[in-house]
Amino acid sequence: MAKTLLEIAGLRKTYGAVEVLKGIDCAVHEGEVIAIIGSSGSGKTTLLRCINMLEDFQDGTIRLDGEEIGYHVEGSTRRRKSEKDIARQRALTGMAFQQFNLFPHMTAAQNVMLGLVKVKRLPKGEAHAIALKWLDRVGLGDRANHYPGQLSGGQQQRVAIARAIAMNPRLMLFDEVTSALDPELVGEVLQVIKDLAAEGMTMLLVTHEMRFAYEVASRVIFMNKGVIGEEGNPREMFVAPKTERLAEFLKTSSFN
Amino acid sequence: MIAPSFLDQLWLARHVILNGLGITVAISLLAIFAGSVLGVVVGLSLVYGNRWLRWVVRAYTDIIRGTPVLVLVLASYYVSSAVGVNLDPFSAGVLALAVFCSSHVGEIVRGGLQAIPKGQTEAAKAIGLTFGQTFAYVLWPQALRQFLPAWVNTAAEMVKASTLLSVIGVAELLLRSQEIISRNFMSLQFYFFAGALYFLVNYGIERLGKYVERKTAIPS
Amino acid sequence: MGYTLNFAVVWRNFDQLLAGLALSLGLAVISILIGAVIGLAVAFALTSRYRATAWPATAYVTLIRNLPILVLVLFAYFALPQLGIRLDKVQSFVAVLALYSGAYLAEVFRAGLLSIPKGLTEAGLAIGLTPMQIRSTIIVPLMLRNVLPSMSSTIISLFKDTSLAATIAVPELTFAARKINVESFRVIETWIVASALYVITCALIAALMRQIERRLAVPR
């Protein structure tokens, strides 16, 4: 069995009076590709954002390589870590967003280089070489000097993935990365993710692409109303759901 | 024969006019510089300040923006001497314009920063940038491009507002023109001439603004 | 130093300030109404396909926007008589502020006109309306709704410009305040009260404009 990379225990998250995550426990092993599915409002995106501390959470722990993410506990008091520590921890996970969130005033290469130069403190030349390598890997070697506004949605999303992956993260988080794309551009982005998965990158993907989840994921987590409703091997889950909820959800999802 | 005599008078008054123009430029530059520095602080306080600071700064900008610049100029001049600070008219006037400028720049900076989508901050955080780095490399450069046109516009406003200092006796271009007129009674010609100079300066600023806007535009 | 606040003198002369404020508002209302008519006509000219109408409109707006209003105020009152145009203080100021408002409101209206989809004009033509009917029943009503927020800040800024009438001794609010200041030496109190009156009036104008905006909002 591969080493445990990410360990989530008793994770709770509330927005005011609304409890979005009601106690999540799960472990992710190195090299696993986990698809998180579920209807909107089920908490799947929130879960992903907690792992990267884009959301604070009220209870529970998230550990990456055994190190507690975001908070430290002394006796009975639980404190948010310093911004600097959190920034360092965030650099250990890469994240790609639904809306790409490329920096519009920087070229594709500059987008990828920013974290390498400012966070990893690499010399510019080295950072540039790494940026070009990754842009090449996502099929955009010839677009390095283009600005995001000059790229298609699919190309922008691939740059965003290159930006995250270039930081050499322990874990990649994908938050509905194809939802904002025109249908004909979805394929090129999924192909990039598939390639990364094949190379052994550990990843968590929140996705609506059931066929993709079925093909690529080593494990599927079905989120329902803030808890994990069901999890397991995609073949078993999609063919023979154990819970009523999942069966219901799969019926309303398209498998194109 | 109005034309030749106007040119004669203009030639006679050339040093006075140039001197006035110099003072106008000096007032404007000082007000824009001081006002912009203060305005950036105001804008940052409005966006990132805690509730207490935001409230104080919001009250400051609302009061300044609700008061005519002429009132600011007169108040600055009279009040400073009443409380014993004794600013000369030039300093009192520049102070008033700088305060006026800061409230405008503050609003512009606030607007520019708040127009940036939240995803930008999140993406920056996700690659591990600290808040300071996020601000310096991601937010500020975008906000700057966004508010540059409005800022240049504010600069032109300052040049126009500098005329108000003539009311408290600062010998800028307009007051100099009035002095000349009081000697030769050519109000039509010399007001017209002063107007033309102001127009040229402001039109130049406007063109410069358009040019800078084009230069800094993000290709798309 | 021993300046103690004492508002008694200011309250004694408060009626002068209120009368001044009333005159300020009167100047603003008349000038802005005339300016709105000018602005609407100029906005249509600015967006016209014909260079012969667009060019003079652009020239007017560019000229006015780049001139300090104080130069125009002094020019109208002191220089125009040389051309045989004699206006009293109030008339000349209203004329200037109306022209000034016209240029600024034209810009506001122009942006509003450009925001109206072409399809609406075509839909109007398709049901047989004349171009003039389309303007008055479709385009202008929609455009006015769209521009209310930006019109609000323009109107407030024009209201504040009425303070410049003080420079030609029109007894509006700033003039009244300066008079009390000079006569009473209650400098700080005078300017606090005058400024407060301006700030409150500006806030009321903003509130009124928001109210109108809500009233006229198209339900959706």
Side-chain angles (χ1 to χ4, degrees):
Chain A
M1 190 74 203
K3 174 173 170 251
T4 302
L5 181 64
L6 182 75
E7 205 172 1
I8 300 173
L11 176 62
R12 283 173 193 280
K13 158 84 188 166
T14 53
Y15 286 111
V18 187
E19 195 169 29
V20 192
L21 297 177
K22 303 173 183 168
I24 304 286
D25 298 278
C26 89
V28 178
H29 306 288
E30 270 187 342
E32 269 196 298
V33 175
I34 299 186
I36 306 175
I37 60 173
S39 51
S40 56
S42 62
K44 53 194 195 310
T45 287
T46 307
L47 171 60
L48 218 59
R49 290 166 61 85
C50 285
I51 296 171
N52 214 356
M53 276 304 281
L54 290 177
E55 302 283 351
D56 292 351
F57 49 93
Q58 283 71 30
D59 199 10
T61 56
I62 300 176
R63 286 174 192 282
L64 184 70
D65 275 328
E67 187 191 1
E68 186 163 352
I69 296 285
Y71 297 89
H72 55 84
V73 180
E74 287 163 12
S76 58
T77 57
R78 176 175 178 271
R79 282 217 186 81
R80 200 171 190 273
K81 287 188 173 170
S82 73
E83 276 307 315
K84 216 174 151 194
D85 275 350
I86 289 176
R88 181 183 56 78
Q89 292 186 327
R90 283 193 183 115
L92 299 173
T93 54
M95 182 153 185
F97 300 85
Q98 181 174 356
Q99 299 296 341
F100 334 136
N101 296 342
L102 286 181
F103 307 131
H105 60 304
M106 298 180 184
T107 63
Q110 286 168 338
N111 262 279
V112 182
M113 286 167 66
L114 184 65
L116 298 171
V117 173
K118 298 301 172 189
V119 179
K120 296 214 152 179
R121 307 266 169 213
L122 296 183
K124 279 219 166 117
E126 196 179 327
H128 191 245
I130 296 175
L132 287 187
K133 183 188 92 181
W134 280 106
L135 285 173
D136 210 38
R137 288 284 297 280
V138 299
L140 293 170
D142 58 337
R143 293 285 190 277
N145 294 323
H146 283 54
Y147 285 86
Q150 300 169 313
L151 300 173
S152 73
Q155 291 172 329
Q156 287 189 51
Q157 189 59 289
R158 285 187 278 154
V159 173
I161 293 171
R163 177 175 70 182
I165 210 88
M167 294 292 287
N168 200 14
R170 298 284 288 132
L171 171 71
M172 266 302 294
L173 308 171
F174 294 90
D175 184 12
E176 303 193 20
V177 287
T178 56
S179 300
L181 294 177
D182 291 335
E184 71 271 20
L185 300 176
V186 169
E188 61 189 65
V189 172
L190 292 183
Q191 188 56 48
V192 166
I193 299 175
K194 230 182 234 179
D195 293 346
L196 288 172
E199 287 163 26
M201 171 57 80
T202 314
M203 50 177 87
L204 263 63
L205 320 115
V206 168
T207 186
H208 289 149
E209 304 279 339
M210 292 305 150
R211 172 164 292 279
F212 180 73
Y214 182 82
E215 285 172 5
V216 177
S218 52
R219 185 148 56 105
V220 173
I221 291 178
F222 169 60
M223 294 274 298
N224 182 39
K225 294 183 177 162
V227 295
I228 294 179
E230 193 173 334
E231 65 179 305
N233 173 316
R235 278 152 207 79
E236 292 165 13
M237 276 181 72
F238 286 161
V239 176
K242 291 195 200 72
T243 59
E244 189 78 17
R245 286 283 175 198
L246 177 58
E248 198 65 27
F249 173 74
L250 290 175
K251 225 181 283 172
T252 57
S253 309
S254 57
F255 268 85
N256 41 6
Chain B
M1 288 294 277
I2 278 173
S5 100
F6 166 63
L7 289 180
D8 290 347
Q9 291 296 323
L10 189 59
W11 183 249
L12 277 176
R14 66 192 186 280
H15 292 302
V16 176
I17 287 179
L18 278 178
N19 189 276
L21 186 61
I23 304 274
T24 288
V25 171
I27 294 167
S28 308
L29 285 178
L30 283 171
I32 293 160
F33 181 75
S36 299
V37 171
L38 189 57
V40 169
V41 176
V42 165
L44 293 180
S45 309
L46 286 173
V47 180
Y48 301 114
N50 60 24
R51 196 190 314 187
W52 185 82
L53 181 63
R54 279 207 312 270
W55 192 88
V56 171
V57 176
R58 170 56 56 208
Y60 166 83
T61 56
D62 281 357
I63 289 173
I64 301 302
R65 282 152 54 90
T67 307
V69 198
L70 180 56
V71 171
L72 292 177
V73 170
L74 291 171
S76 167
Y77 178 59
Y78 289 121
V79 170
S80 65
S81 60
V83 298
V85 187
N86 272 327
L87 294 179
D88 58 276
F90 181 88
S91 311
V94 168
L95 176 69
L97 293 194
V99 164
F100 170 63
C101 183
S102 74
S103 71
H104 275 258
V105 172
E107 280 297 312
I108 295 169
V109 169
R110 182 193 61 78
L113 285 169
Q114 287 182 342
I116 299 173
K118 233 176 86 201
Q120 291 291 306
T121 309
E122 295 189 343
K125 279 182 179 172
I127 56 173
L129 295 184
T130 60
F131 175 75
Q133 290 172 323
T134 303
F135 183 79
Y137 306 119
V138 176
L139 302 179
W140 184 248
Q142 291 186 54
L144 201 59
R145 283 182 176 80
Q146 147 107 20
F147 68 59
L148 214 52
W151 184 77
V152 171
N153 200 22
T154 305
E157 289 300 321
M158 287 305 120
V159 174
K160 288 191 268 178
S162 72
T163 56
L164 300 176
L165 272 60
S166 66
V167 177
I168 54 170
V170 178
E172 41 67 77
L173 180 56
L174 185 57
L175 187 65
R176 287 302 198 190
S177 304
Q178 286 171 298
E179 287 170 8
I180 295 163
I181 290 166
S182 70
R183 281 197 296 272
N184 62 24
F185 303 106
M186 293 182 160
S187 54
L188 193 63
Q189 295 87 333
F190 278 91
Y191 276 129
F192 191 88
F193 188 74
L197 286 180
Y198 281 113
F199 178 84
L200 286 178
V201 171
N202 279 327
Y203 191 69
I205 293 175
E206 191 185 290
R207 295 273 99 192
L208 181 71
K210 295 247 161 73
Y211 173 79
V212 171
E213 196 183 340
R214 260 201 318 278
K215 272 278 158 189
T216 57
I218 300 165
S220 66
Chain C
M1 38 140 290
Y3 197 103
T4 40
L5 290 180
N6 176 0
F7 284 92
V9 182
V10 181
W11 297 139
R12 246 196 326 278
N13 294 301
F14 196 57
D15 53 339
Q16 286 183 43
L17 290 176
L18 280 185
L21 176 60
L23 183 52
S24 297
L25 277 170
L27 293 172
V29 169
I30 297 175
S31 311
I32 291 171
L33 283 179
I34 302 171
V37 176
I38 300 174
L40 196 58
V42 171
F44 275 114
L46 283 173
T47 52
S48 156
R49 276 169 297 142
Y50 304 107
R51 286 181 64 122
T53 40
W55 194 85
T58 308
Y60 160 69
V61 171
T62 309
L63 183 69
I64 297 287
R65 286 175 56 97
N66 284 310
L67 282 177
I69 182 168
L70 181 54
V71 172
L72 291 172
V73 169
L74 298 177
F75 184 86
Y77 187 56
F78 293 113
L80 282 188
Q82 284 200 10
L83 294 175
I85 304 171
R86 284 178 198 285
L87 302 171
D88 68 26
K89 290 182 286 198
V90 170
Q91 288 168 343
S92 76
F93 185 78
V94 167
V96 166
L97 192 56
L99 272 178
Y100 209 68
S101 309
Y104 280 86
L105 289 174
E107 287 280 88
V108 171
F109 293 153
R110 185 181 69 103
L113 288 178
L114 292 178
S115 73
I116 299 202
K118 257 214 171 77
L120 294 184
T121 306
E122 287 164 6
L125 290 172
I127 56 172
L129 297 176
T130 66
M132 214 51 206
Q133 286 172 321
I134 292 171
R135 274 185 201 145
S136 60
T137 60
I138 302 172
I139 296 187
V140 170
L142 274 176
M143 179 274 281
L144 284 178
R145 283 180 175 84
N146 285 348
V147 301
L148 276 172
S150 54
M151 216 170 130
S152 171
S153 60
T154 306
I155 286 178
I156 286 172
S157 140
L158 292 168
F159 164 68
K160 289 192 293 171
D161 284 338
T162 59
S163 64
L164 289 165
T167 61
I168 52 172
V170 175
E172 48 64 74
L173 179 51
T174 302
F175 186 84
R178 200 179 182 190
K179 185 160 163 274
I180 296 169
N181 171 29
V182 173
E183 285 169 2
S184 72
F185 299 106
R186 302 317 304 181
V187 176
I188 301 178
E189 297 87 335
T190 309
W191 293 111
I192 287 178
V193 173
S195 171
L197 286 175
Y198 275 114
V199 170
I200 291 166
T201 309
C202 288
L204 289 177
I205 296 173
L208 177 71
M209 292 298 289
R210 268 197 305 278
Q211 193 59 40
I212 295 175
E213 205 180 315
R214 253 200 303 277
R215 275 289 163 76
L216 295 182
V218 182
R220 59 173 100 219

